[in-house]
Amino acid sequence: MTWLRQFGLWIVGLLLLALALARGAASADSPDQLARGAEVFTIRCQPCHGDVGQGLALWRLTWAPEDQNCASRKCHGLGHPPDGFYMPNDAPAIIGKGALTHFATARELYGYISRRMPFDKPGELSASDYWAVAAYLLRENGKLPAGIQLDDSTAGAVAIGAPAAAPEALPAGASVALLILAGFVGSVCAWAAVLKWRKWRKH
Ligand code: HEC
């Protein structure tokens, strides 16, 4: 049964290759930028856009009734006292289905948030924090290509609103590896069937 042993080795080899490819695809992300982006989001964006970016209108519904009128004059209405600031009745959803899709590219998104957000103190963050939070928002919306460091040189090529290619369920490396594996297992089965059939014919 040497052929069996040889095939055993092949299978182990291919499994290792598949693992290596899948790991490569996963670890190519830019963890520092995304971790920083999550921090910036929580501290500077979440207070208006919601704990999961769902928008203020939806988030507010989870609060106590007496806290729900943010636009009242005492806090965020027109004519608020000095320790408040004006705020429209809603801050739109920035994470979720259809969010951010009127920005064509990541560069446009960066341009908008770096000029206009946080709404109460526009332009206050550093450029690298704006890039980080943009990268985080895109990742949460499934629009960040794997392994990219979002900055001035890469953002123009990251499409948001343009019709995206069919979403990929698996990182590219993993799906290639799975295809190789599936093809291989298929051919081993076919081959075993042929062997069986030949044996059966001899009897
Ligand atoms: C004080 C409340 C507040 C904070 C804090 C805030 N935003 Fe906003 N944001 C708003 C409001 C209000 C709008 C709608 C503005 C408008 O329509 O002119 C908005 C709009 C946006 C939009 C446009 C969404 C769309 O689809 O048009 C984006 C993107 C955005 N904010 C991102 C951020 C990010 C990123 C942060 C954190 C760095 C942030 N915001 C912090 C209140 C806030």
Side-chain angles (χ1 to χ4, degrees), residues 40-49 56 76 85-94 98-103 109-110 112-114 116-121 125 129-130 133-134 137:
V40 174
F41 174 81
T42 305
I43 301 169
R44 305 308 308 266
C45 320
Q46 180 220 291
C48 291
H49 288 281
L56 185 58
H76 303 302
F85 57 86
Y86 169 71
M87 168 73 193
N89 205 23
D90 191 19
I94 53 176
L100 306 184
T101 46
H102 59 266
F103 297 100
L109 173 66
Y110 173 86
Y112 177 88
I113 61 175
S114 60
R116 305 271 301 273
M117 293 294 133
F119 186 81
D120 51 323
K121 291 194 173 138
L125 311 185
D129 277 356
Y130 279 121
V133 78
L137 290 180

mmCIF file of all heavy atoms in Angstrom, residues 40-49 56 76 85-94 98-103 109-110 112-114 116-121 125 129-130 133-134 137, ligand 1:
data_model
loop_
_atom_site.group_PDB
_atom_site.id
_atom_site.type_symbol
_atom_site.label_atom_id
_atom_site.label_comp_id
_atom_site.label_asym_id
_atom_site.label_seq_id
_atom_site.Cartn_x
_atom_site.Cartn_y
_atom_site.Cartn_z
ATOM 1 N N VAL A 40 -10.824 55.507 18.369
ATOM 2 C CA VAL A 40 -11.316 56.835 17.985
ATOM 3 C C VAL A 40 -12.832 56.798 17.843
ATOM 4 O O VAL A 40 -13.539 57.692 18.308
ATOM 5 C CB VAL A 40 -10.663 57.293 16.657
ATOM 6 C CG1 VAL A 40 -11.280 58.593 16.175
ATOM 7 C CG2 VAL A 40 -9.162 57.450 16.829
ATOM 8 N N PHE A 41 -13.337 55.738 17.218
ATOM 9 C CA PHE A 41 -14.781 55.628 17.040
ATOM 10 C C PHE A 41 -15.501 55.680 18.386
ATOM 11 O O PHE A 41 -16.457 56.432 18.573
ATOM 12 C CB PHE A 41 -15.140 54.330 16.301
ATOM 13 C CG PHE A 41 -16.631 54.115 16.234
ATOM 14 C CD1 PHE A 41 -17.382 54.765 15.267
ATOM 15 C CD2 PHE A 41 -17.282 53.316 17.154
ATOM 16 C CE1 PHE A 41 -18.760 54.623 15.223
ATOM 17 C CE2 PHE A 41 -18.661 53.161 17.112
ATOM 18 C CZ PHE A 41 -19.403 53.821 16.150
ATOM 19 N N THR A 42 -15.015 54.876 19.320
ATOM 20 C CA THR A 42 -15.699 54.797 20.613
ATOM 21 C C THR A 42 -15.681 56.140 21.345
ATOM 22 O O THR A 42 -16.682 56.563 21.911
ATOM 23 C CB THR A 42 -15.014 53.740 21.500
ATOM 24 O OG1 THR A 42 -14.989 52.526 20.771
ATOM 25 C CG2 THR A 42 -15.774 53.521 22.783
ATOM 26 N N ILE A 43 -14.518 56.804 21.298
ATOM 27 C CA ILE A 43 -14.404 58.039 22.079
ATOM 28 C C ILE A 43 -15.061 59.228 21.378
ATOM 29 O O ILE A 43 -15.739 60.023 22.006
ATOM 30 C CB ILE A 43 -12.910 58.346 22.350
ATOM 31 C CG1 ILE A 43 -12.284 57.178 23.108
ATOM 32 C CG2 ILE A 43 -12.764 59.634 23.133
ATOM 33 C CD1 ILE A 43 -10.780 57.250 23.197
ATOM 34 N N ARG A 44 -14.860 59.334 20.050
ATOM 35 C CA ARG A 44 -15.255 60.557 19.361
ATOM 36 C C ARG A 44 -16.472 60.467 18.460
ATOM 37 O O ARG A 44 -16.976 61.503 18.034
ATOM 38 C CB ARG A 44 -14.066 61.097 18.535
ATOM 39 C CG ARG A 44 -12.816 61.318 19.338
ATOM 40 C CD ARG A 44 -13.068 62.177 20.580
ATOM 41 N NE ARG A 44 -13.749 63.414 20.307
ATOM 42 C CZ ARG A 44 -13.166 64.567 20.100
ATOM 43 N NH1 ARG A 44 -11.861 64.650 20.145
ATOM 44 N NH2 ARG A 44 -13.870 65.650 19.850
ATOM 45 N N CYS A 45 -16.908 59.302 18.081
ATOM 46 C CA CYS A 45 -18.010 59.202 17.114
ATOM 47 C C CYS A 45 -19.247 58.545 17.707
ATOM 48 O O CYS A 45 -20.370 58.948 17.450
ATOM 49 C CB CYS A 45 -17.581 58.426 15.871
ATOM 50 S SG CYS A 45 -15.910 58.783 15.311
ATOM 51 N N GLN A 46 -19.023 57.507 18.502
ATOM 52 C CA GLN A 46 -20.115 56.766 19.089
ATOM 53 C C GLN A 46 -21.117 57.629 19.869
ATOM 54 O O GLN A 46 -22.314 57.393 19.793
ATOM 55 C CB GLN A 46 -19.535 55.677 19.987
ATOM 56 C CG GLN A 46 -20.589 54.836 20.653
ATOM 57 C CD GLN A 46 -20.217 54.514 22.074
ATOM 58 O OE1 GLN A 46 -19.291 53.758 22.293
ATOM 59 N NE2 GLN A 46 -20.901 55.091 23.022
ATOM 60 N N PRO A 47 -20.652 58.679 20.607
ATOM 61 C CA PRO A 47 -21.609 59.459 21.393
ATOM 62 C C PRO A 47 -22.756 60.023 20.555
ATOM 63 O O PRO A 47 -23.837 60.251 21.081
ATOM 64 C CB PRO A 47 -20.748 60.593 21.967
ATOM 65 C CG PRO A 47 -19.375 60.007 22.030
ATOM 66 C CD PRO A 47 -19.257 59.098 20.845
ATOM 67 N N CYS A 48 -22.532 60.282 19.276
ATOM 68 C CA CYS A 48 -23.628 60.772 18.428
ATOM 69 C C CYS A 48 -24.140 59.700 17.464
ATOM 70 O O CYS A 48 -25.321 59.649 17.166
ATOM 71 C CB CYS A 48 -23.184 61.972 17.606
ATOM 72 S SG CYS A 48 -22.879 63.442 18.601
ATOM 73 N N HIS A 49 -23.242 58.885 16.943
ATOM 74 C CA HIS A 49 -23.658 57.957 15.881
ATOM 75 C C HIS A 49 -24.099 56.598 16.405
ATOM 76 O O HIS A 49 -24.470 55.728 15.624
ATOM 77 C CB HIS A 49 -22.523 57.782 14.859
ATOM 78 C CG HIS A 49 -22.333 58.994 13.994
ATOM 79 N ND1 HIS A 49 -23.146 59.274 12.925
ATOM 80 C CD2 HIS A 49 -21.436 60.010 14.059
ATOM 81 C CE1 HIS A 49 -22.766 60.408 12.355
ATOM 82 N NE2 HIS A 49 -21.722 60.879 13.032
ATOM 83 N N LEU A 56 -28.152 58.010 15.573
ATOM 84 C CA LEU A 56 -28.683 58.445 16.867
ATOM 85 C C LEU A 56 -30.152 58.060 17.052
ATOM 86 O O LEU A 56 -30.579 57.666 18.138
ATOM 87 C CB LEU A 56 -28.507 59.966 16.995
ATOM 88 C CG LEU A 56 -28.888 60.582 18.337
ATOM 89 C CD1 LEU A 56 -28.090 59.958 19.466
ATOM 90 C CD2 LEU A 56 -28.652 62.095 18.308
ATOM 91 N N HIS A 76 -28.967 70.475 23.218
ATOM 92 C CA HIS A 76 -28.464 70.570 21.855
ATOM 93 C C HIS A 76 -29.425 71.275 20.915
ATOM 94 O O HIS A 76 -29.372 71.080 19.707
ATOM 95 C CB HIS A 76 -28.138 69.172 21.330
ATOM 96 C CG HIS A 76 -27.161 68.440 22.194
ATOM 97 N ND1 HIS A 76 -25.901 68.932 22.467
ATOM 98 C CD2 HIS A 76 -27.251 67.276 22.861
ATOM 99 C CE1 HIS A 76 -25.260 68.088 23.261
ATOM 100 N NE2 HIS A 76 -26.064 67.074 23.526
ATOM 101 N N PHE A 85 -24.133 72.248 22.915
ATOM 102 C CA PHE A 85 -23.823 72.682 21.544
ATOM 103 C C PHE A 85 -25.003 72.300 20.664
ATOM 104 O O PHE A 85 -25.754 71.378 21.003
ATOM 105 C CB PHE A 85 -22.525 72.066 21.016
ATOM 106 C CG PHE A 85 -22.513 70.558 21.026
ATOM 107 C CD1 PHE A 85 -23.033 69.829 19.968
ATOM 108 C CD2 PHE A 85 -21.981 69.862 22.118
ATOM 109 C CE1 PHE A 85 -23.020 68.440 19.994
ATOM 110 C CE2 PHE A 85 -21.960 68.479 22.141
ATOM 111 C CZ PHE A 85 -22.478 67.762 21.067
ATOM 112 N N TYR A 86 -25.154 73.032 19.562
ATOM 113 C CA TYR A 86 -26.276 72.726 18.679
ATOM 114 C C TYR A 86 -26.055 71.386 17.994
ATOM 115 O O TYR A 86 -24.942 71.045 17.599
ATOM 116 C CB TYR A 86 -26.463 73.809 17.606
ATOM 117 C CG TYR A 86 -27.442 73.345 16.567
ATOM 118 C CD1 TYR A 86 -28.799 73.246 16.869
ATOM 119 C CD2 TYR A 86 -27.007 72.926 15.307
ATOM 120 C CE1 TYR A 86 -29.707 72.756 15.938
ATOM 121 C CE2 TYR A 86 -27.906 72.439 14.382
ATOM 122 C CZ TYR A 86 -29.253 72.343 14.699
ATOM 123 O OH TYR A 86 -30.135 71.836 13.788
ATOM 124 N N MET A 87 -27.142 70.672 17.829
ATOM 125 C CA MET A 87 -27.046 69.356 17.211
ATOM 126 C C MET A 87 -28.381 69.069 16.540
ATOM 127 O O MET A 87 -29.435 69.253 17.161
ATOM 128 C CB MET A 87 -26.766 68.387 18.369
ATOM 129 C CG MET A 87 -26.887 66.928 18.113
ATOM 130 S SD MET A 87 -25.555 66.297 17.140
ATOM 131 C CE MET A 87 -26.308 64.723 16.779
ATOM 132 N N PRO A 88 -28.360 68.690 15.254
ATOM 133 C CA PRO A 88 -29.627 68.319 14.630
ATOM 134 C C PRO A 88 -30.246 67.135 15.385
ATOM 135 O O PRO A 88 -29.560 66.502 16.198
ATOM 136 C CB PRO A 88 -29.244 67.902 13.214
ATOM 137 C CG PRO A 88 -27.784 68.099 13.092
ATOM 138 C CD PRO A 88 -27.215 68.438 14.417
ATOM 139 N N ASN A 89 -31.470 66.832 15.078
ATOM 140 C CA ASN A 89 -32.174 65.807 15.849
ATOM 141 C C ASN A 89 -31.596 64.406 15.623
ATOM 142 O O ASN A 89 -31.856 63.497 16.384
ATOM 143 C CB ASN A 89 -33.652 65.837 15.484
ATOM 144 C CG ASN A 89 -34.496 65.292 16.605
ATOM 145 O OD1 ASN A 89 -34.069 65.292 17.770
ATOM 146 N ND2 ASN A 89 -35.664 64.813 16.275
ATOM 147 N N ASP A 90 -30.822 64.254 14.574
ATOM 148 C CA ASP A 90 -30.302 62.905 14.279
ATOM 149 C C ASP A 90 -28.852 63.003 13.818
ATOM 150 O O ASP A 90 -28.420 64.035 13.319
ATOM 151 C CB ASP A 90 -31.138 62.259 13.170
ATOM 152 C CG ASP A 90 -30.801 60.769 13.027
ATOM 153 O OD1 ASP A 90 -30.224 60.193 13.971
ATOM 154 O OD2 ASP A 90 -31.122 60.204 11.974
ATOM 155 N N ALA A 91 -28.086 61.952 14.069
ATOM 156 C CA ALA A 91 -26.793 61.771 13.419
ATOM 157 C C ALA A 91 -26.962 60.472 12.639
ATOM 158 O O ALA A 91 -27.339 59.458 13.224
ATOM 159 C CB ALA A 91 -25.673 61.653 14.443
ATOM 160 N N PRO A 92 -26.727 60.520 11.328
ATOM 161 C CA PRO A 92 -27.089 59.363 10.500
ATOM 162 C C PRO A 92 -26.304 58.103 10.848
ATOM 163 O O PRO A 92 -25.251 58.164 11.477
ATOM 164 C CB PRO A 92 -26.754 59.839 9.079
ATOM 165 C CG PRO A 92 -25.843 61.006 9.243
ATOM 166 C CD PRO A 92 -26.123 61.612 10.562
ATOM 167 N N ALA A 93 -26.820 56.969 10.396
ATOM 168 C CA ALA A 93 -26.100 55.703 10.555
ATOM 169 C C ALA A 93 -24.818 55.766 9.736
ATOM 170 O O ALA A 93 -24.815 56.234 8.604
ATOM 171 C CB ALA A 93 -26.968 54.547 10.063
ATOM 172 N N ILE A 94 -23.714 55.304 10.318
ATOM 173 C CA ILE A 94 -22.463 55.256 9.552
ATOM 174 C C ILE A 94 -21.924 53.828 9.474
ATOM 175 O O ILE A 94 -20.913 53.568 8.841
ATOM 176 C CB ILE A 94 -21.399 56.243 10.109
ATOM 177 C CG1 ILE A 94 -21.174 56.034 11.602
ATOM 178 C CG2 ILE A 94 -21.809 57.671 9.835
ATOM 179 C CD1 ILE A 94 -20.064 56.921 12.173
ATOM 180 N N GLY A 98 -26.160 49.927 3.561
ATOM 181 C CA GLY A 98 -26.406 51.183 2.848
ATOM 182 C C GLY A 98 -25.698 52.400 3.431
ATOM 183 O O GLY A 98 -25.704 53.469 2.831
ATOM 184 N N ALA A 99 -25.041 52.233 4.599
ATOM 185 C CA ALA A 99 -24.364 53.381 5.203
ATOM 186 C C ALA A 99 -23.168 53.803 4.355
ATOM 187 O O ALA A 99 -22.507 52.960 3.746
ATOM 188 C CB ALA A 99 -23.902 53.039 6.618
ATOM 189 N N LEU A 100 -22.914 55.101 4.310
ATOM 190 C CA LEU A 100 -21.748 55.698 3.643
ATOM 191 C C LEU A 100 -21.739 55.531 2.130
ATOM 192 O O LEU A 100 -20.773 55.924 1.481
ATOM 193 C CB LEU A 100 -20.417 55.125 4.200
ATOM 194 C CG LEU A 100 -20.199 55.196 5.703
ATOM 195 C CD1 LEU A 100 -18.801 54.683 6.051
ATOM 196 C CD2 LEU A 100 -20.355 56.618 6.214
ATOM 197 N N THR A 101 -22.805 54.959 1.551
ATOM 198 C CA THR A 101 -22.712 54.627 0.124
ATOM 199 C C THR A 101 -22.765 55.853 -0.784
ATOM 200 O O THR A 101 -22.505 55.720 -1.969
ATOM 201 C CB THR A 101 -23.808 53.639 -0.305
ATOM 202 O OG1 THR A 101 -25.048 54.094 0.235
ATOM 203 C CG2 THR A 101 -23.523 52.241 0.200
ATOM 204 N N HIS A 102 -23.091 57.035 -0.239
ATOM 205 C CA HIS A 102 -22.998 58.177 -1.165
ATOM 206 C C HIS A 102 -21.593 58.762 -1.232
ATOM 207 O O HIS A 102 -21.355 59.720 -1.961
ATOM 208 C CB HIS A 102 -24.067 59.236 -0.887
ATOM 209 C CG HIS A 102 -23.994 59.791 0.478
ATOM 210 N ND1 HIS A 102 -24.724 59.295 1.517
ATOM 211 C CD2 HIS A 102 -23.244 60.787 0.989
ATOM 212 C CE1 HIS A 102 -24.445 59.979 2.611
ATOM 213 N NE2 HIS A 102 -23.547 60.876 2.322
ATOM 214 N N PHE A 103 -20.644 58.179 -0.509
ATOM 215 C CA PHE A 103 -19.237 58.516 -0.743
ATOM 216 C C PHE A 103 -18.708 57.540 -1.784
ATOM 217 O O PHE A 103 -18.878 56.322 -1.632
ATOM 218 C CB PHE A 103 -18.422 58.391 0.546
ATOM 219 C CG PHE A 103 -18.864 59.342 1.628
ATOM 220 C CD1 PHE A 103 -19.671 58.913 2.664
ATOM 221 C CD2 PHE A 103 -18.483 60.680 1.585
ATOM 222 C CE1 PHE A 103 -20.091 59.791 3.663
ATOM 223 C CE2 PHE A 103 -18.896 61.565 2.580
ATOM 224 C CZ PHE A 103 -19.700 61.128 3.612
ATOM 225 N N LEU A 109 -14.658 59.983 1.752
ATOM 226 C CA LEU A 109 -15.085 59.820 3.145
ATOM 227 C C LEU A 109 -14.126 60.556 4.073
ATOM 228 O O LEU A 109 -14.541 61.309 4.960
ATOM 229 C CB LEU A 109 -15.136 58.334 3.510
ATOM 230 C CG LEU A 109 -15.409 58.044 4.985
ATOM 231 C CD1 LEU A 109 -16.810 58.486 5.383
ATOM 232 C CD2 LEU A 109 -15.239 56.551 5.299
ATOM 233 N N TYR A 110 -12.817 60.357 3.833
ATOM 234 C CA TYR A 110 -11.809 61.028 4.648
ATOM 235 C C TYR A 110 -11.981 62.547 4.545
ATOM 236 O O TYR A 110 -11.957 63.262 5.558
ATOM 237 C CB TYR A 110 -10.406 60.616 4.191
ATOM 238 C CG TYR A 110 -9.311 61.396 4.879
ATOM 239 C CD1 TYR A 110 -8.817 60.991 6.104
ATOM 240 C CD2 TYR A 110 -8.788 62.554 4.299
ATOM 241 C CE1 TYR A 110 -7.833 61.720 6.754
ATOM 242 C CE2 TYR A 110 -7.801 63.291 4.932
ATOM 243 C CZ TYR A 110 -7.324 62.866 6.159
ATOM 244 O OH TYR A 110 -6.357 63.589 6.792
ATOM 245 N N TYR A 112 -14.599 64.271 3.923
ATOM 246 C CA TYR A 112 -15.780 64.730 4.656
ATOM 247 C C TYR A 112 -15.538 64.721 6.165
ATOM 248 O O TYR A 112 -15.742 65.721 6.843
ATOM 249 C CB TYR A 112 -16.993 63.866 4.305
ATOM 250 C CG TYR A 112 -18.237 64.247 5.082
ATOM 251 C CD1 TYR A 112 -19.107 65.231 4.611
ATOM 252 C CD2 TYR A 112 -18.531 63.650 6.308
ATOM 253 C CE1 TYR A 112 -20.243 65.592 5.324
ATOM 254 C CE2 TYR A 112 -19.664 64.011 7.032
ATOM 255 C CZ TYR A 112 -20.514 64.985 6.540
ATOM 256 O OH TYR A 112 -21.628 65.342 7.260
ATOM 257 N N ILE A 113 -15.102 63.572 6.681
ATOM 258 C CA ILE A 113 -14.996 63.511 8.151
ATOM 259 C C ILE A 113 -13.887 64.429 8.665
ATOM 260 O O ILE A 113 -14.012 65.002 9.739
ATOM 261 C CB ILE A 113 -14.836 62.067 8.703
ATOM 262 C CG1 ILE A 113 -13.597 61.395 8.188
ATOM 263 C CG2 ILE A 113 -16.057 61.223 8.424
ATOM 264 C CD1 ILE A 113 -13.348 60.023 8.792
ATOM 265 N N SER A 114 -12.811 64.598 7.882
ATOM 266 C CA SER A 114 -11.721 65.426 8.404
ATOM 267 C C SER A 114 -12.106 66.912 8.391
ATOM 268 O O SER A 114 -11.542 67.701 9.146
ATOM 269 C CB SER A 114 -10.422 65.181 7.638
ATOM 270 O OG SER A 114 -10.614 65.490 6.279
ATOM 271 N N ARG A 116 -15.594 67.891 8.586
ATOM 272 C CA ARG A 116 -16.894 68.144 9.225
ATOM 273 C C ARG A 116 -17.119 67.424 10.555
ATOM 274 O O ARG A 116 -18.057 67.712 11.272
ATOM 275 C CB ARG A 116 -18.003 67.726 8.254
ATOM 276 C CG ARG A 116 -17.903 68.395 6.877
ATOM 277 C CD ARG A 116 -18.643 69.720 6.846
ATOM 278 N NE ARG A 116 -20.046 69.532 7.157
ATOM 279 C CZ ARG A 116 -20.985 69.236 6.259
ATOM 280 N NH1 ARG A 116 -20.642 69.118 4.982
ATOM 281 N NH2 ARG A 116 -22.230 69.084 6.626
ATOM 282 N N MET A 117 -16.298 66.438 10.888
ATOM 283 C CA MET A 117 -16.533 65.655 12.102
ATOM 284 C C MET A 117 -15.366 65.781 13.076
ATOM 285 O O MET A 117 -14.264 66.072 12.640
ATOM 286 C CB MET A 117 -16.739 64.178 11.739
ATOM 287 C CG MET A 117 -18.013 63.934 10.972
ATOM 288 S SD MET A 117 -19.453 64.267 12.004
ATOM 289 C CE MET A 117 -20.457 65.257 10.915
ATOM 290 N N PRO A 118 -15.493 65.534 14.367
ATOM 291 C CA PRO A 118 -16.763 65.397 15.079
ATOM 292 C C PRO A 118 -17.600 66.664 14.895
ATOM 293 O O PRO A 118 -17.033 67.771 14.918
ATOM 294 C CB PRO A 118 -16.350 65.232 16.533
ATOM 295 C CG PRO A 118 -14.884 64.935 16.521
ATOM 296 C CD PRO A 118 -14.334 65.485 15.262
ATOM 297 N N PHE A 119 -18.908 66.491 14.763
ATOM 298 C CA PHE A 119 -19.821 67.585 14.442
ATOM 299 C C PHE A 119 -19.617 68.791 15.353
ATOM 300 O O PHE A 119 -19.682 69.925 14.916
ATOM 301 C CB PHE A 119 -21.251 67.070 14.574
ATOM 302 C CG PHE A 119 -22.294 68.049 14.132
ATOM 303 C CD1 PHE A 119 -22.582 68.197 12.789
ATOM 304 C CD2 PHE A 119 -22.994 68.816 15.052
ATOM 305 C CE1 PHE A 119 -23.553 69.094 12.367
ATOM 306 C CE2 PHE A 119 -23.960 69.711 14.644
ATOM 307 C CZ PHE A 119 -24.247 69.844 13.297
ATOM 308 N N ASP A 120 -19.367 68.547 16.651
ATOM 309 C CA ASP A 120 -19.236 69.652 17.601
ATOM 310 C C ASP A 120 -17.848 70.291 17.568
ATOM 311 O O ASP A 120 -17.669 71.412 18.020
ATOM 312 C CB ASP A 120 -19.558 69.179 19.033
ATOM 313 C CG ASP A 120 -18.766 67.936 19.411
ATOM 314 O OD1 ASP A 120 -18.553 67.065 18.525
ATOM 315 O OD2 ASP A 120 -18.351 67.826 20.570
ATOM 316 N N LYS A 121 -16.847 69.558 17.049
ATOM 317 C CA LYS A 121 -15.487 70.121 16.965
ATOM 318 C C LYS A 121 -14.812 69.672 15.682
ATOM 319 O O LYS A 121 -13.847 68.901 15.712
ATOM 320 C CB LYS A 121 -14.653 69.659 18.164
ATOM 321 C CG LYS A 121 -15.142 70.275 19.450
ATOM 322 C CD LYS A 121 -14.146 70.103 20.570
ATOM 323 C CE LYS A 121 -14.609 70.872 21.788
ATOM 324 N NZ LYS A 121 -14.438 70.168 23.046
ATOM 325 N N LEU A 125 -9.288 66.199 15.132
ATOM 326 C CA LEU A 125 -8.401 65.024 15.252
ATOM 327 C C LEU A 125 -7.174 65.159 14.352
ATOM 328 O O LEU A 125 -7.154 65.974 13.430
ATOM 329 C CB LEU A 125 -9.165 63.753 14.868
ATOM 330 C CG LEU A 125 -10.536 63.515 15.503
ATOM 331 C CD1 LEU A 125 -11.053 62.143 15.090
ATOM 332 C CD2 LEU A 125 -10.457 63.619 17.008
ATOM 333 N N ASP A 129 -5.505 59.860 12.910
ATOM 334 C CA ASP A 129 -6.725 59.385 13.565
ATOM 335 C C ASP A 129 -7.913 59.399 12.598
ATOM 336 O O ASP A 129 -8.764 58.513 12.644
ATOM 337 C CB ASP A 129 -7.038 60.220 14.808
ATOM 338 C CG ASP A 129 -6.252 59.736 16.026
ATOM 339 O OD1 ASP A 129 -5.534 58.717 15.900
ATOM 340 O OD2 ASP A 129 -6.347 60.371 17.094
ATOM 341 N N TYR A 130 -7.966 60.407 11.728
ATOM 342 C CA TYR A 130 -9.050 60.408 10.737
ATOM 343 C C TYR A 130 -8.904 59.202 9.789
ATOM 344 O O TYR A 130 -9.881 58.540 9.466
ATOM 345 C CB TYR A 130 -9.063 61.713 9.934
ATOM 346 C CG TYR A 130 -9.752 62.856 10.658
ATOM 347 C CD1 TYR A 130 -9.084 64.037 10.960
ATOM 348 C CD2 TYR A 130 -11.093 62.756 11.040
ATOM 349 C CE1 TYR A 130 -9.715 65.083 11.622
ATOM 350 C CE2 TYR A 130 -11.739 63.800 11.710
ATOM 351 C CZ TYR A 130 -11.042 64.953 11.998
ATOM 352 O OH TYR A 130 -11.682 65.978 12.661
ATOM 353 N N VAL A 133 -9.983 56.053 11.755
ATOM 354 C CA VAL A 133 -11.418 55.852 11.971
ATOM 355 C C VAL A 133 -12.111 55.582 10.636
ATOM 356 O O VAL A 133 -13.077 54.800 10.565
ATOM 357 C CB VAL A 133 -12.046 57.028 12.772
ATOM 358 C CG1 VAL A 133 -12.281 58.248 11.916
ATOM 359 C CG2 VAL A 133 -13.347 56.593 13.424
ATOM 360 N N ALA A 134 -11.597 56.174 9.553
ATOM 361 C CA ALA A 134 -12.163 55.867 8.230
ATOM 362 C C ALA A 134 -11.952 54.388 7.913
ATOM 363 O O ALA A 134 -12.873 53.691 7.454
ATOM 364 C CB ALA A 134 -11.516 56.748 7.151
ATOM 365 N N LEU A 137 -14.395 52.328 9.969
ATOM 366 C CA LEU A 137 -15.776 52.373 9.457
ATOM 367 C C LEU A 137 -15.907 51.502 8.209
ATOM 368 O O LEU A 137 -16.886 50.766 8.047
ATOM 369 C CB LEU A 137 -16.177 53.812 9.107
ATOM 370 C CG LEU A 137 -16.370 54.767 10.278
ATOM 371 C CD1 LEU A 137 -16.756 56.155 9.782
ATOM 372 C CD2 LEU A 137 -17.440 54.236 11.240
HETATM 373 C C1 HEC B 1 -21.739 65.786 18.204
HETATM 374 C C2 HEC B 1 -22.297 64.752 17.417
HETATM 375 C C3 HEC B 1 -21.414 64.055 16.402
HETATM 376 C C4 HEC B 1 -20.172 63.515 16.624
HETATM 377 C C5 HEC B 1 -19.377 63.479 17.899
HETATM 378 C C6 HEC B 1 -19.787 62.918 15.358
HETATM 379 N N1 HEC B 1 -20.747 63.129 14.420
HETATM 380 FE FE1 HEC B 1 -20.729 62.508 12.509
HETATM 381 N N2 HEC B 1 -22.466 63.439 12.149
HETATM 382 C C7 HEC B 1 -23.204 64.144 13.089
HETATM 383 C C8 HEC B 1 -24.323 64.790 12.438
HETATM 384 C C9 HEC B 1 -25.361 65.673 13.124
HETATM 385 C C10 HEC B 1 -24.239 64.443 11.077
HETATM 386 C C11 HEC B 1 -25.140 64.928 9.956
HETATM 387 C C12 HEC B 1 -24.513 66.207 9.470
HETATM 388 C C13 HEC B 1 -25.233 66.823 8.336
HETATM 389 O O1 HEC B 1 -26.166 66.257 7.825
HETATM 390 O O2 HEC B 1 -24.792 67.921 7.966
HETATM 391 C C14 HEC B 1 -23.064 63.593 10.928
HETATM 392 C C15 HEC B 1 -22.656 63.037 9.737
HETATM 393 C C16 HEC B 1 -21.590 62.169 9.616
HETATM 394 C C17 HEC B 1 -21.250 61.470 8.410
HETATM 395 C C18 HEC B 1 -21.986 61.543 7.089
HETATM 396 C C19 HEC B 1 -22.915 60.385 7.025
HETATM 397 C C20 HEC B 1 -23.762 60.412 5.811
HETATM 398 O O3 HEC B 1 -24.147 59.324 5.374
HETATM 399 O O4 HEC B 1 -24.022 61.498 5.294
HETATM 400 C C21 HEC B 1 -20.136 60.719 8.676
HETATM 401 C C22 HEC B 1 -19.408 59.804 7.725
HETATM 402 C C23 HEC B 1 -19.784 60.968 10.042
HETATM 403 N N3 HEC B 1 -20.700 61.838 10.592
HETATM 404 C C24 HEC B 1 -18.707 60.410 10.683
HETATM 405 C C25 HEC B 1 -18.326 60.736 11.962
HETATM 406 C C26 HEC B 1 -17.110 60.261 12.567
HETATM 407 C C27 HEC B 1 -16.099 59.361 11.896
HETATM 408 C C28 HEC B 1 -17.065 60.778 13.819
HETATM 409 C C29 HEC B 1 -15.980 60.589 14.852
HETATM 410 C C30 HEC B 1 -14.678 61.057 14.489
HETATM 411 C C31 HEC B 1 -18.264 61.584 13.987
HETATM 412 N N4 HEC B 1 -19.000 61.533 12.850
HETATM 413 C C32 HEC B 1 -18.590 62.267 15.154
HETATM 414 C C33 HEC B 1 -22.943 64.231 14.429
HETATM 415 C C34 HEC B 1 -21.763 63.812 15.020
#
